[in-house]
Amino acid sequence: MTSAAPTSTAAPEVRAVSSLEEASQVLAELGPDGAALAGGTWIMRRPLRSEPWHRVYVPVAGLPGLRELDVRPTSSQAQLGAGLTHTELVAELADGTSVPAALAGLAAAARLSAFPQVRNVATLGGNIAAARVGFRQADLVPALLAAGARLQLGYPDGRADRPVADFLGEAGRPAGEILAGVAVPTPPDRFAGFGRLTVRGAGEYAVVNVAVSVDVDPDGTVRSARVAVGALEPVPRLIPEAAAVLVGRPLDGTSAREAGSAAAAAVDARDDRLAPGWYRRAVLPALLERACAQATSTTGPAWTATDEGEPR
Amino acid sequence: MSPRQLPPVIGASVRRSDGQDKVRGAAVYGMDHVEPGMLHARLLRSPLPAGRIVRLDTSRAATMPGVRAVVTAADAPHLSGWVVKDQRLMAADEVRYVGEPVAAVAADTVEQAAAAVAAIDLEIDPLPAILTFDDALASDARPIHPARDTYTGAGPGGGNVAWESGLERGAVEDAFAAADLVVTDEFSTPRQHQSPIEPHVAVGRFEQGRYVVHSPAQYPFLVRDRVAEFLGVRSSAVRVIVSTIGGGFGGKLDAMLEPFACLLARRTGRPVRVANTRAEELATASPRENAVVRLRTAVRADGTLLAQEGEVIGDNGAYSGETVFCASIPPVLLGATYRIPNVRYRSRVVYTNTTPTAAFRGVNAPYCVFAQEMHLDHIARELGVDRRELRLRNVLRAGEEMVNGQPLPDAALVDAFDAVEKVAPWAELTAARRPYRGVGIAAVTWLSNPGPGGATVKVNEDGTVTVVSGGAEIGTGAMATSVRQIVAAELGVPVEDVLLAQTDTDSASFDGGAQGSRTVFGVGNAAADAAGQVREQLLKAAADILEAAPDDLELAEGHVAVRGAPHKRVPIATVASTALWSTGPIAATGRHIAPPLPFDSACMSGAVFTHFVAATYHVHLAEVEVDPDTGAVRVLRYVVAQDVGRAINPQMIEGQIEGGVLQGLGYALLEDLRVDGGRVVDDDLESYRLPTALDAPPLEISLLENPCSYGPFGGKGVAEPPIIPVAAALGAAVADAIGRPVHELPLTPFAVLAALRGEQDGVGKELA
Amino acid sequence: MTYSFHINGHPVEIGSAAMTGLLEVLRDELGLRGAKPGCGEGRCGACTVLVDDVPVASCLYPVALAQSRHVRTVEGLAAPDGPLTPVQDALLEHGGVQCGACIPGVVMTLTALLERTLRPTPDQICDALVGNLCRCTGYHKIVEAAVAVGRGEER
């Protein structure tokens, strides 16, 4: 999570620390030579990406504070430590009855991502951090963006909160900044969903991932909405054009597909080895429909599919 | 032999002899083999698809830390090749594909070797790369091998055509003139990579004046000969010891890294290990060739096939492996399943500046069958005839001749159609049509590779039996179960008492390799022959002990017994140890050679492969559902009827079918080893998508026993056929589901959605 | 820097460089060559081992993170001279092993699954196996084996 390119070619060192503050301090001193290490699944592939190692890695996932979790339905927001693994998130968020509906998209993203061997070690914080540096398919990130999550960042001299989008969008990050946790607002009338498309059954990067969350009035009208997509552009992002389509009407298959079309029009989906850009755009309406169907599947408003097909 | 008379071990799903080691993690694969003092090698590979080497300076690399030797073409200047001797171990003056070895370094560690490789000064003057068939076949095309015609083993053809073969029978023009309908199609298919879990690896050493190499080799005798040829020594100067093989599928038949390990071992006096990274494996380890198939067929209004013209072009890549050899299969294969009285087929293998291609399970057949079956569907559509009915009208019946004039006395294609029908009635499937659902059906006649084989069977003094052969256990269980079952059946010993010696070219007689579904057939026959001789030796030695005539004795339950007097018997262990001093040790070497079969050689030209030995017959059916939103294809149902000759180990055969179908599904729907500008695009397992557990379709399998008169207990080859008709069956089902013809593979969601939305060809093939 | 952790119940101290993959340490330092380097990029699952009882891709797991943890490999399941575990035995009984290069990883994934889920369904088994590529078997017999273990058909 450093701003400048690392330069070291020697075997990297791992420096254990005992607190978030210490980690922050050490990384601040190291500057571009250091980076935080969580599950390691992204960093360990640096040689495969022809990226040099940093000189020093500081393990952070197990630090006190990074493994906190509070998803009580009575709280106005959920608190998720950055060191939680995808598997742990699934275990904590999968129970749809006692967990706020606003977290359903994040739960699905954690559950559908990668495969067990990666989910068991890859962390919430690592997913967010990697999304800044090339991992545009990071599944948790669109879900966090759509959920309106705020990142809790630690620094040598204190802490700060930032919206996820700001963290992803700003050019550089200060040395010593550590992702400590995520706060996700959980208003009772917020419903969230996630859709992920792969070529195979699973076990690979998403060709497209899309997340949605909506705040719904008692009469079923969507009061506000957020739509985020990943894998299409260099960094996952919110698509306000798509969200706008959902607002002021009930959430159903038709509005979801219209929003998907708006998203398709708004994104710059590029070709890469994994999928052609036109395809990534083309599937957005259906994928957003699936995400919206999930958002409303348990506790949300009744779902009406489009004529174009049942949600899967 | 009727089923009643079969020994019970034939048809038993016995466990594999290597199974315990494999599930305990104790089996030593090629990738696990280590030796004391072992060095590690890395290769410098060409970064360009075509060019002249203007500078190659290894002096700096040679002085790097840990470096023990650096070799280049000057150290191994000899031309070699499986069929056509058109390649050196390392590029001498010209590079012809991205990834072609140019130099090799042995060092104390892999990292040191890699650092030294990076320090080699290589300068290449680029040449225009020839990457497509059109470019290669253009009349003014630069010849990729100007010396082509002078190569030992050079075949018919010329220019950039590495090999050309053909087959012509009957009066083609007359038949086309008399046709009610003429249908034309062109199909193109991608490269498919074998991608075994274990990449290529070899550990070589130099010992007593000879090269010894440990390798997960499918065809150790070929590897032996190729190492010798590359290094300019006679073949007996090379010994190949086969490790546990972590998958092959054709990719580990030919030599690849073994010569490097040997050359560097000789140079350093130390054992040397060479291993491909996964990226090297995908980029340089010869895949199935991409191909184009053009078919033009004359038919009568009632659906009778009258004549067919066919052209098959396969990509050889920059150098010749087995692909040139296989060029003569398509002309026979295209006319091996259906009655086509008048044909003109041409098959060409073309040099390009791309990674050399080679064998992959089923060699050319998956794309030839895909093309033929999609073409038949096209004909059915044009005629308004039911697709299955069209096939039954033209399918070869028992006793009819294939296109090469070879009679098929045991053809069981109709039986296979019937077996599929019993499981999945066609009328029901096609009547219950729903949007975006489709069915496809495809048939094929295939062969068992006729390569020769030998096996030695010896009876140990404790009554166990050891089989020494060149057969390689690539995972199918052919050696680890079936050959042992055959020997157990011949000698009346428990299958657990039949042991396999490690495969070693020093101790085994020649064997034609684990290829072309031939191990049970070829090694099985040789082992049965040896076991038959051993049986005679045992009976003769036991005759003295039991005071009976050998003709009155039989082998059963680990004993030699007097027939009709089962209490008068002696354990084989006693016979074997007594025999040491009476008749001598009990051992014999058996041989296998495929019998000559009648066919019309006059109709063929340039054919290395002329006819089908121990032919087998297969029908596959697929039902799919296409997601109109995403183009994703879901296989709802997959049905296989396969002629297996004799099901010696039904469980292992099912395993071949389940695995082969999934590889075929990969070829049909997922796998596409793309080459862009001469570079392999898909050089990791993220974009080269191997099927996962979630992609395996529900399978219904019927094994058809149709014994081969010259196979062991009636056995035939079973391992290749399951991959062959899969792309055809799935392609037909997808075309049926989307209401549009299919002409290209793979049917990725991108390609299917593009077809559904009517976009032009190539929309789904865009690259960054 | 040395790292101390448990391998198959036994404490070890490892002096490898911190970001060395656990797979390399297992194979080259500890002589445990059961886990396979199928791809080295965390995509084939042949190197799967259990760290604190959950499957991880050991090629992507820095040895430094193993500090104080319990690592289990295929070699640690059954005693070398003892009977196979139910998962190992079922894979052979059901014909789920061909070349076997993926099998050490498959065994570890299924072992972890069956320790948590007593009677997994075929769908649960496939979900668990999606990170273990097998090029030989088509997966059917591997799934059958796991179902059989869950049903208690294996000892």
Side-chain angles (χ1 to χ4, degrees):
Chain A
M1 285 183 282
T2 52
S3 51
T7 50
S8 174
T9 54
E13 176 191 333
V14 169
R15 196 173 301 168
V17 294
S18 54
S19 71
L20 181 62
E21 293 69 25
E22 188 188 354
S24 198
Q25 197 64 51
V26 168
L27 287 169
E29 286 163 13
L30 286 165
D33 284 345
L37 172 69
T41 52
W42 181 258
I43 286 175
M44 286 293 279
R45 286 184 179 138
R46 288 187 76 94
L48 294 167
R49 296 190 297 267
S50 303
E51 296 168 355
W53 294 109
H54 295 81
R55 190 165 60 79
V56 178
Y57 290 97
V58 178
V60 295
L63 294 177
L66 266 74
R67 300 192 44 77
E68 281 176 8
L69 181 110
D70 178 1
V71 291
R72 282 172 299 175
T74 49
S75 306
S76 65
Q77 64 174 29
Q79 174 61 42
L80 305 169
L84 295 169
T85 65
H86 287 57
T87 300
E88 288 166 339
L89 287 175
V90 174
E92 299 295 343
L93 304 181
D95 179 2
T97 54
S98 62
V99 174
L103 299 176
L106 185 61
R111 179 168 49 82
L112 298 171
S113 183
F115 43 87
Q117 290 91 327
V118 168
R119 291 198 296 267
N120 286 338
V121 291
T123 63
L124 173 61
N127 200 250
I128 300 165
R132 270 190 56 81
V133 291
F135 187 26
R136 63 187 183 285
Q137 298 95 345
D139 284 303
L140 304 183
V141 176
L144 293 169
L145 285 166
R150 291 179 71 83
L151 301 183
Q152 296 156 340
L153 303 165
Y155 301 93
D157 53 357
R159 299 213 178 190
D161 272 21
R162 300 296 303 279
V164 177
D166 291 1
F167 175 82
L168 295 172
E170 289 164 8
R173 304 305 312 168
E177 179 180 80
I178 292 181
L179 251 164
V182 178
V184 185
T186 55
D189 56 356
R190 178 167 295 181
F191 304 95
F194 179 80
R196 183 179 201 270
L197 193 65
T198 51
V199 172
R200 292 174 291 180
E204 61 185 38
Y205 292 157
V207 167
V208 188
N209 48 22
V210 52
V212 61
S213 87
V214 290
D215 299 338
V216 182
D217 285 339
D219 68 353
T221 305
V222 173
R223 187 171 65 249
S224 67
R226 289 143 303 274
V227 172
V229 300
L232 294 97
E233 297 182 350
V235 179
R237 70 171 172 99
L238 287 162
I239 311 289
E241 297 89 335
V245 173
L246 298 177
V247 173
R249 61 203 281 199
L251 186 62
D252 59 18
T254 304
S255 68
R257 281 190 181 248
E258 283 177 27
S261 298
V267 295
D268 177 19
R270 293 173 204 176
D271 294 343
D272 66 16
R273 297 188 314 150
L274 301 178
W278 72 263
Y279 179 83
R280 294 181 149 127
R281 274 194 310 275
V283 297
L284 270 175
L287 204 59
L288 190 54
E289 185 182 9
R290 290 177 200 180
C292 290
Q294 192 216 339
T296 59
S297 61
T298 48
T299 46
W303 177 258
T304 315
T306 59
D307 295 341
E308 293 169 70
E310 292 295 314
R312 292 165 190 82
Chain B
M1 198 183 280
S2 79
R4 259 178 317 150
Q5 298 168 300
L6 284 175
V9 71
I10 299 299
S13 292
V14 306
R15 288 191 179 195
R16 40 189 322 135
S17 54
D18 55 7
Q20 284 254 347
D21 281 1
K22 285 181 172 177
V23 297
R24 288 176 187 272
V28 179
Y29 291 80
M31 57 184 156
D32 301 325
H33 186 88
V34 290
E35 301 209 358
M38 189 174 79
L39 303 174
H40 298 268
R42 296 288 301 151
L43 307 187
L44 173 66
R45 297 178 178 277
S46 171
L48 295 178
R52 300 200 171 282
I53 297 175
V54 292
R55 189 167 68 245
L56 177 60
D57 182 352
T58 61
S59 53
R60 193 159 69 91
T63 61
M64 302 265 291
V67 171
R68 305 289 173 160
V70 184
V71 293
T72 65
D75 300 285
H78 310 279
L79 282 170
S80 177
W82 184 342
V83 181
V84 180
K85 316 291 183 196
D86 61 1
Q87 60 213 258
R88 289 186 174 83
L89 187 57
M90 289 163 276
D93 44 12
E94 189 174 330
V95 294
R96 294 186 172 88
Y97 70 96
V98 174
E100 180 172 0
V102 177
V105 176
D108 292 347
T109 68
V110 179
E111 293 74 21
Q112 288 170 335
V117 162
I120 295 173
D121 190 3
L122 171 66
E123 191 183 329
I124 295 172
D125 193 6
L127 286 167
I130 295 173
L131 302 173
T132 66
F133 293 147
D134 285 349
D135 288 351
L137 295 172
S139 56
D140 60 345
R142 173 178 69 83
I144 290 173
H145 288 270
R148 177 205 177 283
D149 298 341
T150 70
Y151 292 143
T152 302
N160 284 323
V161 176
W163 202 283
E164 175 164 349
S165 66
L167 189 155
E168 190 160 349
R169 274 196 119 197
V172 177
E173 269 72 26
D174 293 352
F176 270 95
D180 293 325
L181 175 72
V182 173
V183 174
T184 304
D185 278 305
E186 177 173 323
F187 303 91
S188 67
T189 57
R191 292 184 172 207
Q192 183 186 22
H193 199 268
Q194 297 85 351
S195 289
I197 295 300
E198 176 191 53
H200 282 79
V201 58
V203 177
R205 63 177 188 267
F206 193 71
E207 185 175 282
Q208 296 182 38
R210 299 199 303 152
Y211 296 100
V212 181
V213 62
H214 293 258
S215 162
Q218 284 183 243
Y219 188 174
F221 285 88
L222 173 67
V223 171
R224 177 196 68 176
D225 294 352
R226 294 270 277 130
V227 170
E229 201 169 65
F230 273 128
L231 302 186
V233 297
R234 55 187 183 175
S235 58
S236 58
V238 179
R239 174 184 177 194
V240 179
I241 302 171
V242 180
S243 62
T244 305
I245 303 173
F249 317 111
K252 291 176 182 166
L253 288 166
D254 206 349
M256 186 157 291
L257 299 178
E258 296 89 345
F260 291 99
C262 290
L263 176 62
L264 288 164
R266 173 91 169 104
R267 191 56 56 90
T268 59
R270 299 263 293 270
V272 175
R273 179 180 196 263
V274 198
N276 268 354
T277 63
R278 182 54 59 177
E280 285 180 300
E281 187 72 7
L282 283 159
T284 69
S286 41
R288 186 193 306 284
E289 67 277 12
N290 51 302
V292 167
V293 182
R294 301 186 179 107
L295 295 173
R296 179 169 171 260
T297 304
V299 287
R300 222 165 35 211
D302 67 357
T304 305
L305 304 177
L306 300 175
Q308 186 171 68
E309 285 186 314
E311 178 172 44
V312 179
I313 305 175
D315 197 336
N316 200 32
Y319 298 98
S320 303
E322 196 184 16
T323 308
V324 288
F325 179 83
C326 296
S328 42
I329 293 178
V332 181
L333 175 66
L334 286 169
T337 306
Y338 301 101
R339 191 183 311 111
I340 315 176
N342 307 288
V343 303
R344 183 184 297 127
Y345 292 134
R346 178 162 75 148
S347 170
R348 287 179 291 172
V349 173
V350 175
Y351 281 121
T352 60
N353 287 122
T354 63
T355 303
T357 61
F360 186 154
R361 193 179 199 168
V363 289
N364 334 54
Y367 57 81
C368 289
V369 172
F370 166 70
Q372 185 71 286
E373 296 285 334
M374 301 304 288
H375 186 61
L376 287 177
D377 277 10
H378 186 181
I379 291 168
R381 219 161 44 236
E382 295 285 338
L383 291 173
V385 175
D386 175 76
R387 292 178 286 153
R388 181 174 182 271
E389 179 54 35
L390 177 80
R391 285 167 171 81
L392 285 173
R393 204 168 294 174
N394 292 286
V395 77
L396 290 174
R397 317 250 157 182
E400 287 192 276
E401 289 180 2
M402 306 199 314
V403 71
N404 63 348
Q406 176 189 345
L408 296 174
D410 67 344
L413 288 158
V414 175
D415 309 65
F417 272 103
D418 287 347
V420 167
E421 181 70 8
K422 210 184 259 177
V423 175
W426 180 256
E428 285 177 23
L429 286 168
T430 47
R433 282 294 307 271
R434 287 168 50 181
Y436 300 112
R437 278 209 186 181
V439 289
I441 193 164
V444 66
T445 301
W446 192 239
L447 67 146
S448 310
N449 179 302
T456 297
V457 171
K458 54 176 190 165
V459 180
N460 301 309
E461 291 71 57
D462 62 359
T464 60
V465 177
T466 300
V467 181
V468 184
S469 89
E473 173 54 70
I474 54 168
T476 60
M479 295 295 303
T481 66
S482 302
V483 168
R484 292 171 55 240
Q485 288 173 265
I486 289 164
V487 171
E490 291 284 352
L491 295 180
V493 297
V495 68
E496 297 75 26
D497 285 355
V498 181
L499 315 173
L500 297 177
Q502 182 167 23
T503 303
D504 180 337
T505 56
D506 262 13
S507 50
S509 36
F510 181 89
D511 182 75
Q515 57 168 332
S517 312
R518 70 167 285 285
T519 299
V520 171
F521 175 64
V523 181
N525 263 343
D529 180 29
Q533 298 174 52
V534 159
R535 156 193 285 267
E536 296 309 312
Q537 293 177 20
L538 281 171
L539 297 185
K540 188 156 175 261
D544 289 343
I545 303 171
L546 290 167
E547 296 175 329
D551 286 354
D552 294 334
L553 301 179
E554 62 183 4
L555 282 164
E557 297 170 353
H559 288 70
V560 183
V562 178
R563 197 173 282 125
H567 60 283
K568 283 190 69 178
R569 63 180 201 171
V570 56
I572 286 176
T574 307
V575 180
S577 43
T578 307
L580 294 177
W581 307 99
S582 56
T583 61
I586 308 267
T589 295
R591 300 187 288 187
H592 160 77
I593 185 74
L597 297 173
F599 64 94
D600 172 16
S601 60
C603 70
M604 281 175 273
S605 61
V608 195
F609 219 97
T610 50
H611 62 290
F612 281 12
V613 167
T616 55
Y617 310 95
H618 316 271
V619 173
H620 287 203
L621 176 143
E623 185 181 15
V624 305
E625 183 170 52
V626 170
D627 182 334
D629 285 325
T630 64
V633 175
R634 191 156 67 95
V635 182
L636 303 173
R637 190 172 189 192
Y638 201 92
V639 184
V640 174
Q642 170 157 345
D643 166 12
V644 299
R646 176 77 66 205
I648 291 171
N649 187 316
Q651 187 187 63
M652 290 295 134
I653 295 174
E654 285 171 20
Q656 288 308 297
I657 293 173
E658 290 162 1
V661 166
L662 195 61
Q663 283 181 349
L665 180 146
Y667 183 59
L669 304 181
L670 301 170
E671 298 177 41
D672 186 0
L673 192 74
R674 295 166 294 181
V675 179
D676 183 31
R679 260 173 203 78
V680 171
V681 173
D682 304 286
D683 66 350
D684 64 29
L685 293 180
E686 189 66 41
S687 75
Y688 193 77
R689 294 178 168 109
L690 298 175
T692 74
L694 290 173
D695 302 300
L699 263 173
E700 295 155 278
I701 297 170
S702 303
L703 304 185
L704 308 181
E705 292 212 320
N706 182 28
C708 173
S709 60
Y710 47 89
F713 294 99
K716 301 173 177 177
V718 302
E720 283 186 300
I723 198 177
I724 293 172
V726 183
L730 289 175
V734 170
D736 188 35
I738 66 175
R740 290 162 205 265
V742 161
H743 289 98
E744 278 182 39
L745 296 175
L747 292 162
T748 60
F750 324 136
V752 173
L753 194 67
L756 274 171
R757 303 209 170 169
E759 265 110 340
Q760 292 307 301
D761 282 352
V763 167
K765 302 255 172 193
E766 294 168 20
L767 287 174
Chain C
M1 183 79 196
T2 60
Y3 298 99
S4 308
F5 48 99
H6 280 75
I7 297 275
N8 299 327
H10 301 289
V12 292
E13 289 204 348
I14 296 297
S16 303
M19 292 296 279
T20 309
L22 179 58
L23 176 66
E24 191 180 323
V25 171
L26 292 172
R27 290 176 60 84
D28 296 346
E29 303 296 321
L30 295 168
L32 296 170
R33 298 176 83 78
K36 299 297 177 227
C39 69
E41 52 192 40
R43 295 189 173 102
C44 77
C47 69
T48 301
V49 302
L50 308 189
V51 175
D52 291 345
D53 300 329
V54 299
V56 309
S58 63
C59 72
L60 292 187
Y61 196 85
V63 65
L65 294 187
Q67 174 69 33
S68 304
R69 295 183 187 268
H70 288 260
V71 177
R72 291 161 67 192
T73 73
V74 68
E75 292 92 342
L77 294 179
D81 57 353
L84 299 176
T85 66
V87 168
Q88 291 170 323
D89 193 61
L91 283 167
L92 293 177
E93 181 62 23
H94 291 265
V97 178
Q98 289 187 29
C99 93
C102 71
I103 287 297
V106 166
V107 167
M108 298 318 289
T109 294
L110 292 181
T111 297
L113 173 70
L114 284 151
E115 284 174 356
R116 281 173 172 66
T117 310
L118 287 183
R119 302 178 64 133
T121 64
D123 284 349
Q124 288 174 314
I125 295 162
C126 287
D127 281 340
L129 280 174
V130 78
N132 292 86
L133 295 177
C134 171
R135 191 57 157 164
C136 292
T137 65
Y139 304 102
H140 284 273
K141 297 195 183 303
I142 293 175
V143 175
E144 286 165 21
V147 168
V149 175
R151 286 191 186 137
E153 289 166 14
E154 295 287 325
R155 268 168 285 190

